[in-house]
Amino acid sequence: MSNRQRRKSLSIFRPPLQPLTPIRDEPPDSAPAATLKKRRPISCTDDESPMSSPGAQKIERTDSKRSLSRLMTKDRSRGTQKDGRPSSIFGSLRSLSSLKDEDENSAPSPSSMHSAASAIPDVAAGLLIHHGPLPEVSGVFRRRCPYLVLTDLHLTQFKSQGRASEMFPDISGPHGPAKTNLRHSRLSSSSSIHELQGPSDGYYSIPLVHVIAVYKLDDGEPYFSIEVAHLNDNTSSASTMTLQIHDPGESSAWLTAIRSAASKARLTSSVFFPSSLVEYTAKSLEQEQDYHPDHFHMFKVVQRANKSGKRSSSDDLTKLTSKICILAVGMYKIHIVPLPKSAKSPSSTSLSELSGTSHGIVTLSSVNIQTFDDSFQLWFRVPFKPPHALHLAALCVHEVASYIRQATEYLRPEWTEQPFAWIAPSSLSDDALLPLAPEEEDDNLAFDRTLTAYCAGYAIDTSNIRYTINYTCDDAPAFELLPRASIQRPKYSSMELLAIFRALRYNETFHTIRFGGISLDVLNGLCDPHGWEHTPWTRRSGEPVDLGEQQRTSILIQEVRALALKSRRLRRMDFSYCFTRRSSSAGAVPDSGCGICEALFPLCVKQYTNVDWVVLDGNLLADVDIDYLYAAAIEKSSHFRAIEVGHCGLGDRNLEMVLQALSHQGETLETLSCCGNFARLQPLDLREYFDRFSFIRTLDFSNTYRTSGAEPLFAFNTLRRWKLAELSLSGSSINPETLAVLADYLRDPQSNSLKILCLNQCGLTGGNVNDLCRAMTRSTPRQLHLFISENYLEQGHAGLVEAVEQSLTPSQLTMEMLEYRDEENYRFLLQAWARNTSTVYLNMSKVALPLAASTATATALEAMLANNETLQILNIEGQETHLESAVFGPTLNQALLGLKQNKVLKVLHVEHQKLGMPGANTIASILEENSTLLELHCACNGFSLQAFTVIVSSLKNNTTLLYLPYMEEDREAEFKKWDREFEGGRDSGLRSLTTPTKATVNTMRRSLGAAMPGPLQIANRAVGPPTKQKRQYTQQQADRLLTSINTKWDKEIAMMQGFLQRNHNLAHGSHGLPQENGGAIENERPATGLSARTSMQLGSNETTPLAEPDRQLGAGMGAASDNGDGAVNRLEDDGDTETALMMSKKLNLD
């Protein structure tokens, strides 16, 4: 009975029977590659790897039947017959003599014969590769001398050499010489308590197909230790075996033999990952949002314990065991996933709990693969932090390295030089790696993919990064970084900017990169002392650059230089208004400047980059910046096309230095921008510099000062020699001589290339504008955009009216912020525009009149909108600030009715005109009849929910409008108006309605009565004069009401999107509404049908945020009546009727 119990308890450690698999020297490509997608995995063996055994040529196959019969004739050891305990527990307590006596005198029992017969064929039926004795281990009661045997299928440890010789006849007994010529040294073995043990017949074995890695331990002298990690997927047991070897040569022989045998066993087996383990690993990656079925590879690895420095003992090695885990390569990260609990041992000694870690692939800084064993190291480094190392080992180390390299090239496909150290055997060199499979061509050379990878590696939310790509500008396509999406943090962080910079590196899609208006202060002066792997030491071609000690420069300088060095097609870089720095005061630390000049201009001098257009507008330049600019501009080899230094705080000396240096670029310079600086220009000196420029296309001297005198700012011959496309003199004083030269230039055919002429705030009169318009007149309307805003056009206004009426104006005209002291002059101008046939774009926004426009002026505007047959874009936007107001007035609703007869206008801007509810009805009636308007910009007009609903309803019968704003500003104003109706803020538990004024009463009467005629009845009481009583209600009720309004506003937006999508489909050849919500829109929206008469009747009505729910209240009590129009009284209820009823009862409006 005891023997049966003992056999039952030991059977769980017995390795499962497996069929004999002969070893064949097959090429590495014959190995199964289940997860390989793009290229075959690199083999774990190569010609240079030390995988062959020293004595492999003299090994003979063992006769398994003869060894089995010999083992069955031996006695069973007494150590396993007492109390049913396995020999592995108390075997070390017996003496060496007792072990020898047992080997010579003991006789086998039937049970032992049966146990041996069931396990020996797997262990003994293999090719003997290497064997040797382990050192004697002394104990209190006995000594033992284990023996280690390696075949092509198993690594087996026997209790004694005698036991090994019984199973393998080629191994001599304990007193005879061994048949193999391998030199053996003393070894010691330590392993975890749950290792795969054999039966109690004196051995335990590890199948080589279960071996994960074989590697050396850096444990110091005098040991040369080897660790063998193995994992049995069938029994879910993982463990490590440590061999302490005193002789380095024997250690190398055992390491080579075990690696070679384990690698061949792995290649010839068809063992794959269990489905449960694959699912577990995939779920771990899903939690990190990094799982993609086409980019998912997993490997069994060992996370090695860091044992270095001090000498180790057997006890130390037992405590410092390594951890077996899963290395998974995801889409953007490399993950170390701990084994599931079912695959771990219950012992905490061998495998401690391992928490999973993830590292971004783009943060990889070094890959170090050892040639003498299976160990390798992966180093990761996040910017501004020290590197972090993963000490790993795996038989499939070459496959792991190959897939990691493939992942890095997939995420950075344009990088010709990956920013990490690659220390690997020659079999994994760049030339030996298999090429990537061809990928589908991505937009912008996989810029989105690379940016997402950096965001994942740097733990950045990608939703905060906004950019656009401009394909219509000069030097297109242009990458333009937009402001950060988050309102709470409008500025990008240093990590976000680094991700953007490094995603742009090597990308040759973009010819222009614009960071205009984006703050880069966070990177200016910031250094990273922990590493320089991203420092650009070479050009894209690999040619080294000589730029001094770059590692000491700031991150901003390094990243800007990298953009310029690594792209051959990048021509223009825009850093306008990126820095808010101030110049240092005298005696302080020397000003280091903005960093852009130091980064770019030395590259231009040495012709390391093709960037020849640099925009520095809006950044305060220090003296050191001017020095870098001057040193680069005086060299003709720089070939600058433009250096824009507007609003850079330049004084007389610095601006003179800039112009003097740029004069050396006269053969290539196309744009000269010095606007908004403090310097005072000398016309004679300026004309001398201008004479040196031959190909200027853009000249911007806006907001600059000049010395007094009668000299013109530039000569006629100079302007005639240039082929100007844009000339800007806004904010500068133009004397009559300069104006005469400009008029002569406009008459000359050489000025036909001019497309933009900016003369804002130049002191022009209506007569001056008349002269310029006559000078630019051709047989057809001049294709030019003329800016004449903020001038004294009312002076000599008859000349301006004459130019407009006679169609002398160019195709585009902007005349903003005009002030009229006499409204009649403005009316004459509107009448002239009704007869104009040359201008298609007109901007007359923010016109200030002495009072609200009269009916006569409104009639003139209505006639202009109805009769003009040329205007396609019209801007009559208003303006309202705390200090001044520039709105047309209530009569604008009458004037807009002229759009019903207009058949040409496509875009109308009418924001900030206080249209209110009457304007909403007017717009609704226009949209139902106008069939040419494509865009209507009408936000910021005080529209309530009711007004927004009326406008959206009118879209049912309009099939041409493509744009209508969401009225978000009006929604915000609606909520602010609600708060102003009540005392206190949201902090108080109760809300109270203050004693309303007469105007407030009238407003609430209209809100609660839903714009119904006659006295409003609430609970059978008419709304009368206000009382002094104050009613209170809870915060919860107020919040529910605001939530209801907000929800209904969102509903209106959804309806509007459906109508606009329908119109978009019709405009592009398709028909009908979107499939998902088209039917609902058609069924729920009644016709509006508001006439002009009805609009005028409702002109005196205003609404408040109470209108929507209170109208429901009025309808529910029978006080509301439908006037037949439908749109005013149509609003759905979302179940808040009860709340609205309770609140309305508390409103004291009697």
Side-chain angles (χ1 to χ4, degrees):
M1 182 60 127
S2 62
N3 292 339
R4 188 160 50 249
Q5 292 176 351
R6 174 179 50 77
R7 287 196 299 271
K8 183 176 181 181
S9 63
L10 291 177
S11 63
I12 61 174
F13 299 103
R14 189 174 304 159
L17 295 178
Q18 298 180 358
L20 180 63
T21 305
I23 297 295
R24 300 185 300 274
D25 294 331
E26 297 181 354
D29 295 339
S30 62
T35 60
L36 191 58
K37 298 293 183 182
K38 301 185 182 302
R39 60 183 179 193
R40 296 177 300 170
I42 303 300
S43 172
C44 292
T45 60
D46 53 65
D47 297 337
E48 298 184 13
S49 300
M51 289 294 186
S52 59
S53 174
Q57 297 179 354
K58 299 183 180 181
I59 296 176
E60 300 178 357
R61 181 169 293 280
T62 304
D63 190 346
S64 59
K65 295 183 179 179
R66 185 176 57 179
S67 61
L68 176 60
S69 60
R70 292 183 59 186
L71 183 59
M72 288 182 176
T73 59
K74 286 293 181 181
D75 295 339
R76 190 177 190 86
S77 61
R78 290 177 295 180
T80 59
Q81 295 176 355
K82 297 179 180 180
D83 302 330
R85 299 180 183 273
S87 60
S88 61
I89 299 179
F90 294 108
S92 62
L93 301 179
R94 295 181 294 175
S95 63
L96 179 62
S97 60
S98 64
L99 179 61
K100 294 180 178 179
D101 295 340
E102 290 171 356
D103 292 340
E104 296 174 357
N105 301 327
S106 60
S109 64
S111 61
S112 64
M113 293 173 61
H114 172 74
S115 175
S118 62
I120 289 177
D122 241 2
V123 177
L127 200 66
L128 186 63
I129 297 178
H130 199 34
H131 58 89
L134 303 177
E136 296 181 358
V137 181
S138 300
V140 179
F141 302 105
R142 51 162 270 173
R143 298 191 305 272
R144 59 185 177 90
C145 185
Y147 201 84
L148 195 63
V149 177
L150 174 66
T151 68
D152 59 349
L153 298 178
H154 294 82
L155 178 63
T156 309
Q157 178 177 335
F158 294 89
K159 286 185 177 181
S160 63
Q161 185 176 351
R163 289 293 186 183
S165 62
E166 293 171 359
M167 185 174 297
F168 298 95
D170 294 336
I171 301 177
S172 63
H175 302 291
K179 294 183 179 181
T180 179
N181 61 349
L182 295 178
R183 179 174 58 89
H184 306 295
S185 66
R186 293 298 182 179
L187 327 125
S188 65
S189 173
S190 64
S191 59
S192 57
I193 196 171
H194 67 285
E195 287 179 316
L196 297 178
Q197 299 187 13
S200 60
D201 298 284
Y203 76 93
Y204 66 89
S205 178
I206 301 174
L208 294 183
V209 295
H210 296 165
V211 174
I212 304 299
V214 184
Y215 49 92
K216 288 184 177 181
L217 287 180
D218 187 12
D219 55 354
E221 298 293 341
Y223 303 110
F224 300 92
S225 303
I226 300 174
E227 192 165 75
V228 181
H230 53 94
L231 173 65
N232 188 346
D233 293 325
N234 298 326
T235 60
S236 299
S237 58
S239 181
T240 57
M241 173 188 289
T242 304
L243 305 177
Q244 287 183 275
I245 305 175
H246 298 273
D247 184 79
E250 185 62 22
S251 174
S252 178
W254 273 106
L255 179 66
T256 302
I258 297 175
R259 287 186 68 199
S260 177
S263 297
K264 291 182 178 180
R266 175 179 174 272
L267 293 175
T268 56
S269 66
S270 58
V271 178
F272 298 95
F273 289 100
S275 59
S276 59
L277 185 59
V278 175
E279 183 179 358
Y280 164 78
T281 307
K283 288 183 177 179
S284 299
L285 267 65
E286 286 180 350
Q287 293 180 355
E288 294 288 333
Q289 299 180 356
D290 193 42
Y291 175 75
H292 192 284
D294 295 334
H295 301 276
F296 172 68
H297 307 283
M298 55 184 295
F299 309 92
K300 300 174 185 177
V301 298
V302 178
Q303 189 171 5
R304 298 182 293 121
N306 191 11
K307 313 170 193 176
S308 60
K310 297 182 180 180
R311 301 172 64 176
S312 304
S313 62
S314 300
D315 295 337
D316 296 333
L317 295 177
T318 304
K319 296 177 181 179
L320 298 176
T321 53
S322 301
K323 305 174 181 67
I324 299 177
C325 52
I326 300 296
L327 184 145
V329 181
M331 185 72 177
Y332 304 110
K333 297 180 181 180
I334 296 176
H335 308 263
I336 300 297
V337 183
L339 294 175
K341 293 183 179 180
S342 59
K344 291 184 180 181
S345 167
S347 172
S348 60
T349 305
S350 60
L351 289 178
S352 62
E353 293 292 333
L354 178 65
S355 59
T357 58
S358 301
H359 303 274
I361 296 177
V362 295
T363 64
L364 187 67
S365 61
S366 177
V367 178
N368 189 359
I369 302 173
Q370 305 298 333
T371 58
F372 50 82
D373 62 1
D374 295 333
S375 62
F376 63 100
Q377 295 83 36
L378 300 178
W379 292 81
F380 301 90
R381 197 180 76 84
V382 178
F384 314 113
K385 294 182 180 180
H388 175 77
L390 292 180
H391 299 275
L392 307 172
L395 277 176
C396 55
V397 56
H398 286 199
E399 287 187 34
V400 174
S402 179
Y403 278 114
I404 291 178
R405 183 63 180 268
Q406 178 181 344
T408 59
E409 294 176 357
Y410 173 77
L411 296 179
R412 291 182 290 224
E414 296 300 310
W415 288 53
T416 58
E417 182 182 357
Q418 296 291 337
F420 58 84
W422 181 260
I423 306 173
S426 58
S427 59
L428 286 177
S429 63
D430 293 344
D431 298 334
L433 286 175
L434 296 177
L436 289 172
E439 293 280 345
E440 295 182 1
E441 186 176 355
D442 295 336
D443 294 338
N444 308 316
L445 297 178
F447 171 74
D448 286 341
R449 184 198 311 167
T450 307
L451 179 59
T452 305
Y454 273 104
C455 290
Y458 295 167
I460 296 172
D461 185 2
T462 56
S463 63
N464 289 325
I465 298 178
R466 299 168 59 246
Y467 69 90
T468 184
I469 300 176
N470 191 343
Y471 294 95
T472 60
C473 63
D474 295 336
D475 294 330
F479 171 86
E480 299 178 1
L481 184 62
L482 302 178
R484 197 171 184 267
S486 176
I487 300 178
Q488 291 77 14
R489 293 182 54 192
K491 294 183 179 181
Y492 287 101
S493 65
S494 58
M495 300 297 288
E496 291 171 335
L497 290 174
L498 281 181
I500 296 169
F501 270 103
R502 291 172 181 176
L504 289 170
R505 189 184 298 192
Y506 283 96
N507 194 305
E508 293 191 331
T509 300
F510 311 114
H511 297 181
T512 300
I513 295 179
R514 289 196 176 102
F515 292 96
I518 305 301
S519 177
L520 300 180
D521 290 322
V522 67
L523 293 181
N524 191 17
L526 185 64
C527 297
D528 187 358
H530 300 287
W532 306 284
E533 63 271 11
H534 281 86
T535 303
W537 305 106
T538 61
R539 301 176 64 182
R540 185 184 181 93
S541 60
E543 176 188 355
V545 296
D546 182 15
L547 296 173
E549 298 182 355
Q550 293 195 72
Q551 63 271 19
R552 295 186 178 181
T553 58
S554 67
I555 290 293
L556 176 66
I557 295 176
Q558 295 179 13
E559 294 301 327
V560 172
R561 283 180 177 175
L563 292 181
L565 287 171
K566 302 301 183 179
S567 177
R568 296 166 297 187
R569 298 183 180 180
L570 183 61
R571 301 293 304 279
R572 185 184 307 210
M573 301 188 74
D574 185 354
F575 296 97
S576 57
Y577 298 93
C578 290
F579 303 95
T580 57
R581 50 174 297 278
R582 298 180 179 179
S583 59
S584 58
S585 58
V589 179
D591 196 340
S592 59
C594 65
I596 303 300
C597 298
E598 181 181 355
L600 288 179
F601 292 139
L603 305 182
C604 299
V605 173
K606 297 184 179 182
Q607 300 183 11
Y608 287 155
T609 180
N610 292 328
V611 175
D612 54 11
W613 195 306
V614 182
V615 182
L616 300 173
D617 293 339
N619 302 312
L620 185 62
L621 299 183
D623 291 340
V624 64
D625 296 322
I626 302 299
D627 293 340
Y628 279 111
L629 189 156
Y630 184 86
I634 61 175
E635 298 292 338
K636 292 186 178 181
S637 58
S638 300
H639 300 294
F640 285 122
R641 290 189 299 149
I643 297 181
E644 302 183 27
V645 290
H647 301 278
C648 291
L650 302 181
D652 295 346
R653 176 179 175 275
N654 287 338
L655 183 57
E656 184 178 358
M657 289 181 61
V658 170
L659 293 176
Q660 181 181 359
L662 291 179
S663 64
H664 293 80
Q665 306 293 324
E667 299 299 325
T668 59
L669 199 69
E670 299 178 7
T671 296
L672 180 61
S673 175
C674 299
C675 61
N677 288 295
F678 305 132
R680 185 177 294 273
L681 301 176
Q682 295 284 346
L684 295 179
D685 297 338
L686 190 61
R687 290 170 59 182
E688 181 181 353
Y689 292 133
F690 284 166
D691 291 339
R692 300 181 184 180
F693 300 125
S694 303
F695 302 100
I696 293 292
R697 299 185 69 251
T698 301
L699 183 65
D700 188 358
F701 272 80
S702 303
N703 299 301
T704 55
Y705 303 95
R706 52 158 292 172
T707 58
S708 60
E711 302 85 1
L713 192 60
F714 29 66
F716 168 74
N717 292 332
T718 302
L719 293 178
R720 190 176 184 278
R721 187 175 67 251
W722 295 340
K723 291 185 178 181
L724 284 175
E726 180 178 351
L727 176 60
S728 180
L729 300 174
S730 298
S732 302
S733 178
I734 298 180
N735 56 11
E737 291 76 13
T738 303
L739 193 61
V741 171
L742 187 58
D744 293 340
Y745 170 68
L746 291 176
R747 292 188 187 95
D748 194 278
Q750 288 294 109
S751 68
N752 291 340
S753 60
L754 188 64
K755 302 301 179 183
I756 298 177
L757 178 58
C758 298
L759 300 175
N760 301 323
Q761 291 183 312
C762 290
L764 300 181
T765 63
N768 298 143
V769 174
N770 184 286
D771 295 338
L772 294 176
C773 289
R774 290 186 180 277
M776 68 178 66
T777 301
R778 300 292 188 267
S779 58
T780 58
R782 182 69 178 267
Q783 300 300 315
L784 183 143
H785 195 163
L786 178 61
F787 293 83
I788 53 174
S789 303
E790 302 183 74
N791 284 295
Y792 306 124
L793 299 184
E794 193 173 14
Q795 182 179 354
H797 193 265
L800 175 61
V801 172
E802 180 183 354
V804 172
E805 189 172 9
Q806 295 181 6
S807 300
L808 303 178
T809 53
S811 60
Q812 302 176 61
L813 181 61
T814 297
M815 41 194 307
E816 293 181 334
M817 303 185 69
L818 301 182
E819 294 186 8
Y820 281 93
R821 298 181 179 180
D822 188 354
E823 181 184 344
E824 186 178 11
N825 290 330
Y826 183 58
R827 183 163 60 250
F828 290 156
L829 182 62
L830 294 177
Q831 294 171 354
W833 280 117
R835 294 183 288 271
N836 183 276
T837 59
S838 62
T839 302
V840 297
Y841 172 90
L842 176 61
N843 185 349
M844 286 198 310
S845 60
K846 306 171 186 177
V847 175
L849 299 176
L851 297 173
S854 63
T855 305
T857 304
T859 303
L861 179 57
E862 181 180 5
M864 169 189 165
L865 296 176
N867 300 327
N868 187 286
E869 298 179 354
T870 308
L871 282 176
Q872 298 182 14
I873 302 176
L874 176 62
N875 189 341
I876 53 174
E877 175 184 353
Q879 183 184 31
E880 185 178 6
T881 62
H882 294 288
L883 300 179
E884 59 181 353
S885 177
V887 295
F888 194 90
T891 56
L892 180 60
N893 294 300
Q894 173 190 346
L896 291 177
L897 294 177
L899 291 173
K900 292 185 177 182
Q901 305 175 29
N902 190 288
K903 305 299 181 183
V904 180
L905 194 66
K906 296 180 179 179
V907 180
L908 175 63
H909 291 263
V910 66
E911 299 99 328
H912 299 283
Q913 287 288 2
K914 296 185 178 181
L915 296 179
M917 187 64 203
N921 286 281
T922 301
I923 291 175
S925 63
I926 293 172
L927 292 179
E928 290 184 345
E929 298 187 25
N930 186 284
S931 60
T932 59
L933 201 61
L934 301 180
E935 297 182 14
L936 178 59
H937 302 260
C938 58
C940 304
N941 274 295
F943 290 144
S944 62
L945 176 60
Q946 179 183 358
F948 187 37
T949 303
V950 170
I951 295 176
V952 173
S953 300
S954 65
L955 292 177
K956 178 186 176 182
N957 298 327
N958 185 294
T959 59
T960 57
L961 192 70
L962 301 179
Y963 174 81
L964 190 68
Y966 293 163
M967 315 292 183
E968 293 294 344
E969 297 85 355
D970 297 87
R971 188 204 302 227
E972 184 178 355
E974 182 91 341
F975 290 140
K976 290 181 178 179
K977 186 185 296 185
W978 166 268
D979 288 335
R980 286 196 300 268
E981 296 286 348
F982 300 93
E983 284 184 341
R986 296 179 179 270
D987 298 333
S988 60
L990 295 177
R991 296 205 144 210
S992 60
L993 182 65
T994 58
T995 303
T997 61
K998 183 176 181 180
T1000 307
V1001 172
N1002 294 333
T1003 300
M1004 293 184 177
R1005 178 186 294 113
R1006 287 190 292 270
S1007 300
L1008 296 174
M1012 297 179 300
L1016 175 65
Q1017 301 291 332
I1018 297 182
N1020 298 325
R1021 292 190 308 173
V1023 177
T1027 62
K1028 298 181 180 180
Q1029 187 177 1
K1030 181 186 295 185
R1031 300 289 184 177
Q1032 292 183 341
Y1033 62 96
T1034 64
Q1035 175 74 38
Q1036 183 179 5
Q1037 292 172 342
D1039 291 341
R1040 286 186 60 187
L1041 188 57
L1042 289 176
T1043 303
S1044 174
I1045 295 176
N1046 191 55
T1047 302
K1048 292 174 182 176
W1049 201 292
D1050 291 335
K1051 283 186 177 181
E1052 297 300 328
I1053 291 178
M1055 292 295 177
M1056 183 185 70
Q1057 290 175 338
F1059 285 127
L1060 295 181
Q1061 183 63 44
R1062 176 202 62 186
N1063 297 351
H1064 181 272
N1065 295 340
L1066 294 175
H1068 290 79
S1070 58
H1071 300 280
L1073 287 165
Q1075 185 68 27
E1076 60 271 13
N1077 60 0
I1081 294 175
E1082 291 290 346
N1083 293 333
E1084 292 181 7
R1085 289 300 182 187
T1088 303
L1090 287 180
S1091 62
R1093 180 185 59 82
T1094 306
S1095 301
M1096 298 305 297
Q1097 287 178 353
L1098 296 175
S1100 60
N1101 293 340
E1102 294 292 341
T1103 59
T1104 67
L1106 291 170
E1108 175 70 11
D1110 290 343
R1111 183 164 45 260
Q1112 296 294 328
L1113 169 64
M1117 300 182 62
S1121 61
D1122 192 351
N1123 57 7
D1125 294 331
V1128 178
N1129 296 326
R1130 178 194 48 79
L1131 283 171
E1132 302 84 11
D1133 187 16
D1134 288 341
D1136 292 332
T1137 305
E1138 182 179 354
T1139 303
L1141 178 62
M1142 179 173 56
M1143 294 180 62
S1144 62
K1145 289 182 178 179
K1146 295 181 179 180
L1147 296 177
N1148 187 13
L1149 302 178
D1150 296 336

